[in-house]
Amino acid sequence: MDYKKIGLFLAQERKAKKLTQAQVAEKLYVSEKTISKWENGRGLPDTSLLINLCALYDLSINELLSGERLNEQNYKAKAEDNMETLLSQRKSNKQKMFISILICVCTLSILFVCVALASFLNIPIWLRICLIIYGFMVAVCGVGICIFFDINVGSFECKHCGKKFVPTTKAYIFSYHNFTARKLKCPFCGKTSMCKKRLQNKD
């Protein structure tokens, strides 16, 4: 997959729609720097953003990943190559989520061990305090990493309109949640619902 070709194609399609990078970034709820990175061939849009980006530029996902407008003759051949790429990215997202959960569990375990040691060992007060502070610092770092991965890997699907989006960090942190969904406001329809976590958009 040619990142440079895709980047030039995205820039071309954006300009054809008479949109600035800032306007595209606003519509996709990402930073202007992210749009610039895609167009310079330094990365691909996450699978959670592909459908919305394609809708914005009137493209198929196959055309976006091919970096060109396709006709009927070469559409099928390109589709097979691009599907392999999408499946690979989905697998990568699963691995990232697993690693983030593992980090979170490990850091919380360290906090538990530090508190237990501070409680039961016959050590000076200052050392007890240091142990507890260290445990909390490690736990906060672990939870922070888990939150970062959960926000940036995949997307959340609105229960009302079915569109997928990436919430802001503030909206994510202060939202009610269970293990599979979070109560978020959809930036597309404006309704609040329990949005399910998705590792990849459906075609």
Side-chain angles (χ1 to χ4, degrees):
M1 188 169 289
D2 191 336
Y3 285 21
K4 287 287 185 184
K5 181 181 178 183
I6 294 172
L8 290 171
F9 180 59
L10 289 176
Q12 173 189 312
E13 293 299 315
R14 173 179 59 77
K15 290 170 185 174
K17 292 289 183 182
K18 294 181 171 53
L19 294 169
T20 65
Q21 289 185 345
Q23 288 171 323
V24 174
E26 184 179 357
K27 290 177 183 293
L28 296 178
Y29 298 92
V30 297
S31 68
E32 189 174 343
K33 186 178 178 181
T34 299
I35 304 299
S36 177
K37 182 179 77 172
W38 298 343
E39 293 186 357
N40 288 324
R42 291 185 285 110
L44 284 178
D46 188 86
T47 51
S48 62
L49 298 170
L50 284 178
I51 286 182
N52 295 334
L53 183 59
C54 287
L56 184 62
Y57 292 165
D58 294 323
L59 299 169
S60 68
I61 289 180
N62 196 21
E63 287 175 322
L64 188 151
L65 295 177
S66 300
E68 61 184 309
R69 295 279 181 177
L70 301 173
N71 55 38
E72 291 183 8
Q73 294 178 338
N74 59 6
Y75 192 91
K76 186 176 180 181
K78 293 285 186 178
E80 291 176 359
D81 291 338
N82 294 333
M83 184 55 69
E84 287 182 17
T85 300
L86 286 176
L87 290 174
S88 175
Q89 194 169 15
R90 180 182 173 85
K91 183 179 179 181
S92 174
N93 282 346
K94 284 184 176 180
Q95 290 173 342
K96 288 176 183 176
M97 287 299 295
F98 174 76
I99 291 170
S100 70
I101 291 170
L102 187 62
I103 290 172
C104 188
V105 170
C106 289
T107 52
L108 290 175
S109 298
I110 290 172
L111 171 61
F112 175 78
V113 170
C114 287
V115 171
L117 289 174
S119 301
F120 298 110
L121 289 182
N122 186 18
I123 54 178
I125 295 293
W126 68 267
L127 190 52
R128 291 175 193 262
I129 294 171
C130 287
L131 269 173
I132 292 172
I133 290 174
Y134 173 75
F136 272 105
M137 287 176 64
V138 171
V140 167
C141 289
V143 171
I145 290 170
C146 194
I147 288 172
F148 174 81
F149 274 111
D150 199 33
I151 293 174
N152 292 283
V153 175
S155 59
F156 288 87
E157 183 179 63
C158 176
K159 187 177 180 181
H160 295 285
C161 67
K163 291 204 173 182
K164 298 173 182 67
F165 63 95
V166 178
T168 63
T169 303
K170 182 179 179 181
Y172 178 92
I173 291 173
F174 291 102
S175 61
Y176 164 77
H177 68 95
N178 53 36
F179 290 105
T180 60
R182 301 189 84 88
K183 192 172 184 179
L184 297 165
K185 183 177 180 180
C186 175
F188 297 100
C189 67
K191 294 180 179 178
T192 300
S193 64
M194 292 300 291
C195 301
K196 288 188 177 181
K197 179 70 178 180
R198 302 294 187 195
L199 287 179
Q200 183 180 2
N201 276 322
K202 293 181 181 179
D203 291 346

